[in-house]
Amino acid sequence: MPLEDELKARTLALLSQQMANWVVEIQKRIAEHQTSLVGKLDELQENVARYDEKIDEDAISRAIGEVFAANPGAASPSPVAETGPNVALLLSAMAQVDTGANLTEVLTSLVNESAKQVDRVAMFIIKGANAVGWYAKGFEVNEAVKQIQIPLANDTIFRTIQSDRAPVLFNPATTGQTAPSLQKMGSLGSSAIAAPMVLRDKLAAVLYCDTTGPMSDPQAAFIDGLVRFAAKTTDLLSFVPRTPGAHPPAPVVTANAPATRPAPPPLPPPPPAEGGTVMFTPSQMASMHATAPPPAPPPPPPPAAPKPDGAGTVMFTASQMDQMRQQMSQMKPAPAPAAPALSPEETKAHEDAKRFARLIVSEIKLYNEAKVTEGRKAKDLSSRLKEDIDRGRQMYHDRISPGLRNNTNYFHDELVRLLAGGDPAALGPM
């Protein structure tokens, strides 16, 4: 081989080796930074979860009282403004939203609580390049919201929200094609607010609210604040899971409620949630069998009881009592073997894996409500939602360590619990 070609080959080989070493080092540093970032996010979320404990309600009430005392002659723009929500009502609504154990429950409470303060409310989920109707209250045809699908590129309020990521006060009739797009549900009000729900820097949903008359500033602030709180609550659910029904009661509102606004009608049932039947996965059944106590040996026949004495009392000898004690001890099941204790690091890794699986499957269910309902009936959820499930499983695979991933079934467990409503057969062939 000519000297020039040999030098070129050796040089290329050395460069390739050095590049490979650099790539390995860079990947190692990226992994270290990711681990550190996850830890910081966990710490941040825990701090956010404690913010509501630091709210000084008395200070807020005093500040509002001082403003009104300094402006005794200020007139409200309309009767609606005089009956707008106060801080106590907002805190009560936040407490109700905070009881949600999953994304569906949080959004349902958000719509229901908002409907107590305005005339019409509709929740739209952002799916791809469209705003898809999900749940509505106060319209002439609430169920028609599920038939609405508005491209974000169209000239509607949703395009503005997609661009600005900020709440907007507007008149639906004079805002592009907004009114024609929403009138499937019935007539609209003349004053409306559209508030974005942003999750992890992604526009996930838009809450539309309107009133027949002018919308007051307190009403608009109520909607904006409640949507922002619901977004934070949803983010926290991926880090701090909750059990449905295991939440503290909402605080009692002692402030005077609006006197001129009629009480809202009884709330209809929320959108379908997970079934209430407790189901066990194959892995759980195997675990139950593994830890079940061994069957007790059949007891020997009891000794013949002595004949009663004249007083009718059955008497036993000392030897008979000893024999009965031995038989009772043999009838006790053997204690189940204790499960090996996990270290704090292992426990945290398991909890993180469960939370991440719950978050992924919850989003699949939220964005495919109709398909989930149909798939449960047809028992073909796996094939009907194959693309979303495969994408979610890949995300779970990339995030969770192989050792933990290969020895648990957390992702499959959440598919059964959340997606299939507790019925493994509803998933169909995997």
Side-chain angles (χ1 to χ4, degrees):
M1 177 185 295
L3 178 60
E4 182 179 353
D5 293 341
E6 184 178 357
L7 288 173
K8 184 183 297 184
R10 292 290 300 276
T11 302
L12 289 175
L14 289 172
L15 287 175
S16 298
Q17 181 62 41
Q18 291 181 8
M19 288 294 293
N21 293 338
W22 292 338
V23 169
V24 170
E25 182 64 24
I26 291 173
Q27 291 177 337
K28 180 180 178 181
R29 293 186 179 182
I30 290 175
E32 293 173 352
H33 285 302
Q34 287 177 334
T35 302
S36 175
L37 179 60
V38 169
K40 293 296 183 182
L41 286 174
D42 287 343
E43 181 181 352
L44 177 61
Q45 294 293 345
E46 292 174 0
N47 290 335
V48 172
R50 292 192 292 268
Y51 282 167
D52 59 341
E53 302 174 0
K54 301 179 181 179
I55 295 178
D56 190 342
E57 300 176 19
D58 294 336
I60 296 174
S61 299
R62 287 196 300 271
I64 294 176
E66 292 172 0
V67 171
F68 280 105
N71 299 273
S76 301
S78 68
V80 176
E82 295 176 0
T83 60
N86 54 30
V87 175
L89 292 178
L90 177 59
L91 293 175
S92 176
M94 286 181 173
Q96 183 61 38
V97 169
D98 193 44
T99 61
N102 54 53
L103 191 54
T104 299
E105 292 182 6
V106 170
L107 295 185
T108 301
S109 296
L110 174 59
V111 173
N112 290 338
E113 293 300 316
S114 299
K116 296 178 183 179
Q117 308 301 332
V118 295
D119 296 320
R120 286 164 288 270
V121 184
M123 174 63 74
F124 291 85
I125 304 299
I126 304 303
K127 186 174 182 181
N130 299 290
V132 181
W134 182 69
Y135 183 38
K137 287 180 66 68
F139 291 89
E140 295 164 6
V141 188
N142 290 324
E143 289 301 314
V145 70
K146 298 179 180 179
Q147 304 172 9
I148 298 178
Q149 182 168 313
I150 305 172
L152 296 177
N154 286 6
D155 183 17
T156 66
I157 192 63
F158 297 97
R159 184 174 71 179
T160 304
I161 294 294
Q162 168 75 359
S163 173
D164 297 343
R165 306 289 182 90
V168 179
L169 282 169
F170 65 102
N171 183 342
T174 60
T175 307
Q177 303 172 9
T178 300
S181 300
L182 302 180
Q183 284 175 343
K184 289 182 180 179
M185 296 181 289
S187 58
L188 306 178
S190 59
S191 181
I193 182 174
M197 187 171 182
V198 180
L199 303 178
R200 299 182 299 280
D201 294 328
K202 174 185 176 184
L203 181 63
V206 176
L207 186 69
Y208 169 90
C209 304
D210 73 27
T211 54
T212 301
M215 181 175 294
S216 67
D217 289 341
Q219 285 174 306
F222 179 97
I223 298 301
D224 181 27
L226 194 59
V227 171
R228 293 176 186 271
F229 179 79
K232 295 300 181 185
T233 298
T234 303
D235 275 339
L236 288 174
L237 286 178
S238 62
F239 292 90
V240 187
R242 298 170 180 164
T243 302
H247 313 296
V252 178
V253 179
T254 57
N256 294 328
T260 60
R261 189 175 187 83
L267 298 179
E274 295 73 34
T277 304
V278 179
M279 305 296 292
F280 295 98
T281 64
S283 63
Q284 290 172 324
M285 292 297 293
S287 175
M288 292 166 66
H289 286 300
T291 58
K307 295 180 181 180
D309 59 11
T313 304
V314 178
M315 305 298 292
F316 296 94
T317 65
S319 61
Q320 288 173 327
M321 292 295 294
D322 290 340
Q323 185 179 3
M324 292 174 65
R325 290 192 189 97
Q326 293 176 1
Q327 292 173 359
M328 292 298 293
S329 64
Q330 293 174 357
M331 294 174 64
K332 295 180 180 179
L342 298 177
S343 67
E345 293 77 11
E346 291 173 327
T347 300
K348 184 178 184 302
H350 279 268
E351 292 302 322
D352 288 345
K354 292 177 183 178
R355 285 195 294 265
F356 193 55
R358 185 181 300 110
L359 174 64
I360 294 173
V361 179
S362 178
E363 290 192 354
I364 294 175
K365 181 177 182 292
L366 175 66
Y367 294 132
N368 298 277
E369 287 285 354
K371 289 184 178 180
V372 169
T373 301
E374 296 168 1
R376 287 180 180 179
K377 295 178 181 178
K379 298 190 181 301
D380 62 353
L381 284 168
S382 295
S383 58
R384 194 180 294 265
L385 296 171
K386 183 178 186 306
E387 183 178 347
D388 295 280
I389 292 175
D390 288 347
R391 186 186 306 113
R393 183 178 285 107
Q394 185 61 46
M395 292 172 59
Y396 183 80
H397 183 280
D398 294 341
R399 170 79 174 265
I400 306 304
S401 64
L404 178 57
R405 186 178 67 240
N406 296 334
N407 291 285
T408 59
N409 293 300
Y410 295 142
F411 185 78
H412 179 80
D413 292 346
E414 292 302 328
L415 289 178
V416 173
R417 187 179 71 86
L418 287 176
L419 212 59
D423 181 10
L427 291 176
M430 295 295 290

